[in-house]
Amino acid sequence: MATTDSAERSGRLSRARILEIALEHFAIHGYRGSSLARIAAEVGISQPGLLHHFPNKAALLMAVLAERDVQDLHATGTDPETLSEMDFAELIAFLVRIARHNVQNRDLVQLAHLTAAEATGSEHPAREWVVGRQKFLQSMIESSLRRGVEDGSVRSDVDPRLTTLVLVAAMEGLENQWLVDDEVDMVGSFVQFAEQLQRAVAPTD
C-alpha cells in the first residue's frame, strides 16, 4: 500500500513538473516551436516517460492551458459559479484582481497571447480554447451590463456589446504593450480605465 501511495505521489509530482516546464516552453516558443524532447530533457525524464503522462504535444498544451485557467481563479479567490452572477462593479473588481495576478506571472500572459496568435487557423489544437475563452469573457461582461441596464445600475443608453468589446480590447491591449515593454504600468492603466468606464456607464442623477 505504501509503495502504491508513493508511486501515485511521484506520478503527481512528475506531472506537475512537466506542466511547469511545458508552460515555460510554450510561452517562449509557442506550440509549433516547442519540442517534447526538449521539455522532457529539462524535466529530467525520457520522452517516453513524458508521453506516459501526456500522449502527444497537443494534449500537453491543452493541459497547460487548463492549469493556467485554474491558477487564474485560485489567485483571485473566485468561485467559478459566481462569475455569471456578478454585477458590473463586481466584475470590474474581479478583472482588476486578474490584472494584479497577471503582472506577477508574465509567462501566463505570454502563453495566452502567443497561443491566441498561433490559433488563428482552425487546425491549431488550442483553437477551441482561444475562441471559447474569448466568448466566455465577452458573454460574462455583456451579461453583467445587460443586468445592470435592467436593474438601473447601468445607464439605459449604454450599448452592452460595444462596451464589452472596448473593455476586452483595453485589457488585452495593455497586456500586449506590457509584454513588449515592461515599463508599461499595465495594472495602474487598467485600474484608471476601469474607473473611468464605471463612471461613464453609471446613471446620472
Side-chain angles (χ1 to χ4, degrees):
M1 181 65 176
T3 302
T4 300
D5 289 344
S6 298
E8 290 179 353
R9 184 163 55 251
S10 176
R12 288 194 298 270
L13 291 173
S14 295
R15 188 178 191 279
R17 180 62 175 161
I18 293 168
L19 289 174
E20 177 186 352
I21 297 302
L23 188 153
E24 296 174 3
H25 280 247
F26 288 134
I28 295 171
H29 305 294
Y31 173 73
R32 295 185 179 91
S34 294
S35 159
L36 290 181
R38 288 196 296 269
I39 292 171
E42 187 168 343
V43 173
I45 60 176
S46 65
Q47 186 168 335
L50 186 154
L51 293 173
H52 172 74
H53 295 277
F54 305 96
N56 51 53
K57 188 164 71 168
L60 178 56
L61 174 64
M62 297 312 298
V64 166
L65 293 173
E67 179 65 20
R68 181 198 182 281
D69 291 341
V70 169
Q71 287 187 37
D72 270 354
L73 290 175
H74 282 178
T76 60
T78 305
D79 183 343
E81 295 181 1
T82 67
L83 290 176
S84 61
E85 301 172 358
M86 289 181 176
D87 61 28
F88 190 59
E90 292 171 333
L91 189 56
I92 288 293
F94 167 73
L95 295 177
V96 168
R97 292 197 300 273
I98 287 288
R100 295 190 191 283
H101 168 62
N102 284 346
V103 80
Q104 302 297 325
N105 296 274
R106 187 183 188 89
D107 281 353
L108 297 181
V109 181
Q110 188 164 312
L111 172 68
H113 280 256
L114 188 51
T115 301
E118 282 189 325
T120 53
S122 59
E123 75 285 354
H124 194 282
R127 172 71 176 179
E128 185 175 344
W129 179 85
V130 170
V131 173
R133 179 172 176 268
Q134 178 172 284
K135 287 185 176 180
F136 175 76
L137 178 61
Q138 291 176 350
S139 174
M140 185 172 61
I141 297 171
E142 187 173 347
S143 294
S144 73
L145 285 164
R146 292 192 184 281
R147 289 194 300 272
V149 170
E150 293 173 0
D151 65 25
S153 61
V154 172
R155 288 201 340 256
S156 60
D157 61 339
V158 167
D159 184 332
R161 180 60 177 170
L162 177 60
T163 305
T164 294
L165 295 177
V166 170
L167 177 54
V168 173
M171 292 170 54
E172 297 190 346
L174 284 167
E175 287 179 353
N176 187 66
Q177 292 178 66
W178 171 70
L179 287 172
V180 173
D181 178 5
D182 58 13
E183 292 187 3
V184 170
D185 184 1
M186 178 180 71
V187 176
S189 299
F190 180 67
V191 168
Q192 184 175 353
F193 172 81
E195 290 174 347
Q196 292 175 348
L197 182 60
Q198 283 184 281
R199 289 194 293 270
V201 303
T204 55
D205 294 331

